[in-house]
Amino acid sequence: QVYGRQAVSAGDTDWGARFAYGHRTGNDYRSGDGTSIPASYNSRDFDVAFGCELTADSHVEFNYLRLDQTNVELPGQAFDIDWLVTDGYEVKYVVEDPGIGDRWIIDAWYNRTRLEGNAQNPSKRRMFPLYDLLGFVGNTSVDSESSGFRTALTWGDAESGQLVTGVDLRYIRQSLDEITSGRFGFAIWDHANSPIPPSHTVNPGLFAEYLQTLSDDLRVRAGGRLDTYRAAITESPANLQSLGTQTPQMSLADILGTDQWTQNFTLPSIFLTGEYDVTDCWTATAAAGFAEQAPSLTDMYAAQP
């Protein structure tokens, strides 16, 4: 494997910028018993970061990341990646002493990843000889987005007591198509799709955290969140009637066991932690918490990919 990276940075007392590019490539390797493991890849990443002070009490930061990958062999996985592209953006705005608190932060982001892959590479067929026995031909594509924002206000400091409260919102959209053909006994399928249909989640939340230093040796932190989580399929039901590789094909409702695809969840979480400095070298910690997490779009809507 070879990895090269070049970074250029510049700045002054009230601004700074960085530009960096990296190129990584790797080849197949041999395991301990001499088996050739198909694991070659090409990966290129480019990132930009810029920050500046707008006033004596405020500053803004911007980050951009670009990732390009090609000819990625994934040993032990059903598909390799022909190409993958990720674009990620983030903007953060910070105000010190905004008047209604001691610190105010607004953070917003957007990420998107697209990829296509296949199961026809000769190295893949060597690892999965069953593919040739089945006459299996497979192609996959993915499109996934994640975006959101967070804003938080801080009062006080760690010594006298610090409270942070805020709201955030996360939006996730994704889809996966897995188009395959093959034959198993008398069962034949041709260009059958086993997808994760186009779907999305919307997740707004409220959060709060309090930190208190009780003595020179003891610190306590407590906090919690309350989230609402809504998930839904955005694809037309008419396009979800003939899915999967079985004969005859099934509808998404038959595969999932329900046609109630829109789901809503209310998710609480709380925690309490304590730290005690026993000596200058030893710290004792104790923590307890409870949280609930909603199922992902893959958990809820995958149609046998």
Side-chain angles (χ1 to χ4, degrees), residues 17 35 118 146 264 300:
T35 304
N118 77 88
S146 171
N264 295 278
M300 289 187 285

Side-chain angles (χ1 to χ4, degrees), residues 153-165:
L153 270 171
T154 301
W155 292 269
D157 55 49
E159 297 299 324
S160 59
Q162 184 179 77
L163 174 66
V164 180
T165 63

Side-chain angles (χ1 to χ4, degrees), residues 5-11 15-22 46-50:
R5 187 168 184 82
Q6 179 68 56
V8 178
S9 58
W15 69 275
R18 184 189 71 246
F19 307 88
Y21 173 78
F46 173 72
D47 69 89
V48 177
F50 175 77

Side-chain angles (χ1 to χ4, degrees), residues 7-38:
V8 178
S9 58
D12 205 337
T13 57
D14 57 358
W15 69 275
R18 184 189 71 246
F19 307 88
Y21 173 78
H23 195 122
R24 187 190 304 263
T25 184
N27 297 320
D28 298 347
Y29 65 91
R30 291 192 177 276
S31 65
D33 65 357
T35 304
S36 177
I37 305 299

Side-chain angles (χ1 to χ4, degrees), residues 190-234:
D190 184 49
H191 290 87
N193 193 8
S194 302
I196 301 171
S199 48
H200 68 236
T201 65
V202 181
N203 175 200
L206 304 170
F207 61 89
E209 180 179 285
Y210 183 73
L211 171 64
Q212 178 70 63
T213 300
L214 300 180
S215 69
D216 291 341
D217 301 320
L218 180 61
R219 297 168 298 280
V220 177
R221 187 188 303 268
R225 286 185 59 91
L226 181 64
D227 289 86
T228 61
Y229 183 97
R230 178 181 176 86
I233 291 177
T234 57

Side-chain angles (χ1 to χ4, degrees), residues 125-189:
R125 314 299 280 202
R126 289 196 302 271
M127 292 202 75
F128 290 85
L130 182 64
Y131 282 179
D132 288 335
L133 294 176
L134 299 177
F136 180 84
V137 177
N139 295 278
T140 186
S141 61
V142 170
D143 191 348
S144 178
E145 293 182 11
S146 171
S147 58
F149 77 90
R150 177 185 299 108
T151 181
L153 270 171
T154 301
W155 292 269
D157 55 49
E159 297 299 324
S160 59
Q162 184 179 77
L163 174 66
V164 180
T165 63
V167 299
D168 54 24
L169 173 70
R170 296 177 178 87
Y171 175 80
I172 295 175
R173 182 195 64 80
Q174 74 174 35
S175 64
L176 175 147
D177 288 313
E178 185 176 293
I179 311 298
T180 63
S181 302
R183 177 171 185 166
F184 183 72
F186 294 104
I188 301 174
W189 67 95

Side-chain angles (χ1 to χ4, degrees), residues 52-68:
C52 68
E53 293 183 359
L54 301 178
T55 67
D57 297 321
S58 65
H59 65 269
V60 64
E61 301 172 11
F62 170 78
N63 291 278
Y64 169 70
L65 171 68
R66 169 81 174 195
L67 176 67
D68 285 283

